[in-house]
Amino acid sequence: MDKFSLVDIKKINYSDVYHYIYNNAGSSKQAIASALGMSLPTVTQHLNSLLSEELIQKCGQLNSNIGRKAIAYSILPNARISLGIEILENYIAILAINLRGEAIAKRIVDIHFEKSETYTRQVSEEINLFIKDEIHTSPHILGIGFGMQGLVSSDGKEVVYGQILDYTGLTIDSFSKYLNYPCRFVHDSECAASSDLWNHKEATDIFYLSLSHHLGGAVILQGNIHPGYSGTSGVIEHMTLFPGGKECYCGKKGCADAYCAVSALLYEDETLEDFFTNKTAKSKEHLKRFDKYLDNLAIVINNIHMVINLPVMLGGHMSPYLEDSDTETLFQKVCALSAFPETESFISLGTREKSAIAIGAGLPFIKEYLDNLAL
Ligand SMILES: [Zn+2]
């Protein structure tokens, strides 16, 4: 065995010990050695490295009837963090996300979007202020992800289609030149999907629908977002639902977005909170509007299901407000349209997290860090 491969094995073992503790908080040295098939001295060596790098901590002692009590180890979830920013028309959300994908700090700042240098500078200043106020270990920031209402280039450096807020062509440099961390754009429906998949690791093959201010979709295969050959796979929002129908922001008429986005359900100045409070109170007008909305969403889901036979997960801004009875109603509406009998519902709800898009914007940095610990 040459020297290079020995170094490799050492790194892999180091990563394996960390990941074992990540997935089994409160493990003892003996349990780690036994589970990973490593010798106790090897595990001890890696535990000492992880402790000195402040990636793990001792978290008490395990009960034992014989001999000395074993020390239990757990990860330090805030040892590294990333920031997720959601850029919306009237405000930005800034979140700090730890190694468990949990939001540990959040700030909403009212800034009206405009395509200008002043705007990107102002947003960057707010992010730097948030870091100063909330993050006391800024060298441990892995990067900053910006959740954008638009398609982004595969390297995350440019918005290649951003008609909603008219920012097609916006480059990441316009923010990153003010920020001392790696930055990238992430498509907002991809953010919502990443966030939900993080919390539903069993959902490896699904069609994901983001019911947010605008509609979005993503095909998830083997746990990864399937981009398609030009990155537009799953862009369900511009599927024609009613030819010649309502205008869509893309310039066409009758797209699914014009009927199934949150903006299509709500009146101007109405919030999801307002709408669902009234729906819960059985307001006839709200129930009727919601029923019509589900009719249209059922057409979209049925069409998706005819093309790709995968379970459908509903996420995005609306998901925290939906109840199981809503997905059941939706499923019945899909069944009425389907050419094939469906016996079991294939529609599920994603996370109840209202900040799913901002969290999903920061997750790529966390995933990369965890995946590359051995490198
Ligand atoms: Zn459209």
Side-chain angles (χ1 to χ4, degrees), residues 161 237-239 248-252 255-257:
Y161 183 83
E237 57 268 40
H238 302 297
M239 180 181 78
C248 175
Y249 63 85
C250 73
K252 308 277 182 200
C255 292
D257 186 88

Side-chain angles (χ1 to χ4, degrees), residues 85-87 90-94 107-109 111 119 123 126:
I85 318 295
E86 185 176 9
I87 302 271
N90 294 316
Y91 68 89
I92 59 165
I94 311 173
R107 184 175 290 178
I108 302 288
V109 186
I111 309 181
Y119 175 81
V123 168
E126 290 294 343

Side-chain angles (χ1 to χ4, degrees), residues 77-367:
N78 299 348
R80 297 288 183 279
I81 60 163
S82 69
L83 299 193
I85 318 295
E86 185 176 9
I87 302 271
L88 290 165
E89 189 177 0
N90 294 316
Y91 68 89
I92 59 165
I94 311 173
L95 263 78
I97 299 136
N98 70 12
L99 289 170
R100 291 223 178 268
E102 301 158 336
I104 54 168
K106 178 180 179 176
R107 184 175 290 178
I108 302 288
V109 186
D110 292 330
I111 309 181
H112 190 81
F113 177 83
E114 58 176 46
K115 200 176 177 180
S116 72
E117 177 71 25
T118 309
Y119 175 81
T120 53
R121 194 184 64 239
Q122 202 184 347
V123 168
S124 306
E125 282 170 1
E126 290 294 343
I127 295 169
N128 280 324
L129 194 62
F130 174 83
I131 292 170
K132 188 166 161 276
D133 293 345
E134 305 282 350
I135 315 298
H136 307 296
T137 52
S138 51
H140 292 161
I141 295 176
L142 300 168
I144 305 173
F146 292 79
M148 308 300 282
Q149 295 180 334
L151 299 178
V152 306
S153 57
S154 55
D155 59 7
K157 288 187 175 165
E158 187 181 349
V159 178
V160 294
Y161 183 83
Q163 293 291 85
I164 296 170
L165 290 182
D166 185 26
Y167 49 47
T168 300
L170 186 72
T171 61
I172 197 69
D173 299 349
S174 47
F175 293 103
S176 62
K177 65 184 171 189
Y178 300 110
L179 302 161
N180 290 325
Y181 309 96
C183 296
R184 72 170 65 153
F185 291 136
V186 191
H187 185 196
D188 63 352
S189 54
E190 197 174 307
C191 293
S194 299
S195 190
D196 275 338
L197 291 174
W198 182 270
N199 293 312
H200 294 270
K201 298 223 162 48
E202 76 291 350
T204 53
D205 298 277
I206 54 164
F207 192 98
Y208 184 84
L209 263 180
S210 174
L211 307 176
S212 294
H213 189 64
H214 285 281
L215 186 68
V219 180
I220 314 295
L221 295 174
Q222 296 181 328
N224 295 309
I225 294 169
H226 176 71
Y229 71 88
S230 62
T232 58
S233 200
V235 184
I236 202 75
E237 57 268 40
H238 302 297
M239 180 181 78
T240 305
L241 203 57
F242 299 109
K246 287 192 215 170
E247 273 191 22
C248 175
Y249 63 85
C250 73
K252 308 277 182 200
K253 285 186 172 178
C255 292
D257 186 88
Y259 297 88
C260 299
V262 167
S263 54
L265 171 71
L266 304 182
Y267 294 139
E268 218 169 312
D269 295 333
E270 189 180 29
T271 64
L272 279 167
E273 197 84 41
D274 294 340
F275 180 88
F276 281 94
T277 302
N278 284 308
K279 176 185 164 279
T280 307
K282 307 254 182 275
S283 149
K284 275 190 182 165
E285 190 274 327
H286 291 81
L287 287 171
K288 194 175 161 196
R289 208 176 346 145
F290 190 60
D291 195 57
K292 184 71 197 156
Y293 173 83
L294 291 186
D295 282 343
N296 292 328
L297 190 58
I299 301 174
V300 170
I301 292 176
N302 183 50
N303 287 350
I304 293 169
H305 211 54
M306 291 296 116
V307 177
I308 188 158
N309 191 223
L310 290 176
V312 173
M313 183 182 279
L314 305 179
H317 290 148
M318 195 192 288
S319 161
Y321 297 92
L322 295 176
E323 294 166 16
D324 290 340
S325 58
D326 297 323
T327 52
E328 180 53 33
T329 306
L330 186 59
F331 174 63
Q332 294 307 330
K333 288 177 184 290
V334 173
C335 287
L337 295 168
S338 176
F340 309 109
E342 297 281 354
T343 50
E344 220 175 299
S345 180
F346 55 85
I347 304 167
S348 65
L349 286 177
T351 176
R352 317 298 283 171
E353 173 55 68
K354 290 184 182 174
S355 302
I357 291 176
I359 290 176
L363 276 178
F365 294 99
I366 299 292
K367 283 187 198 162

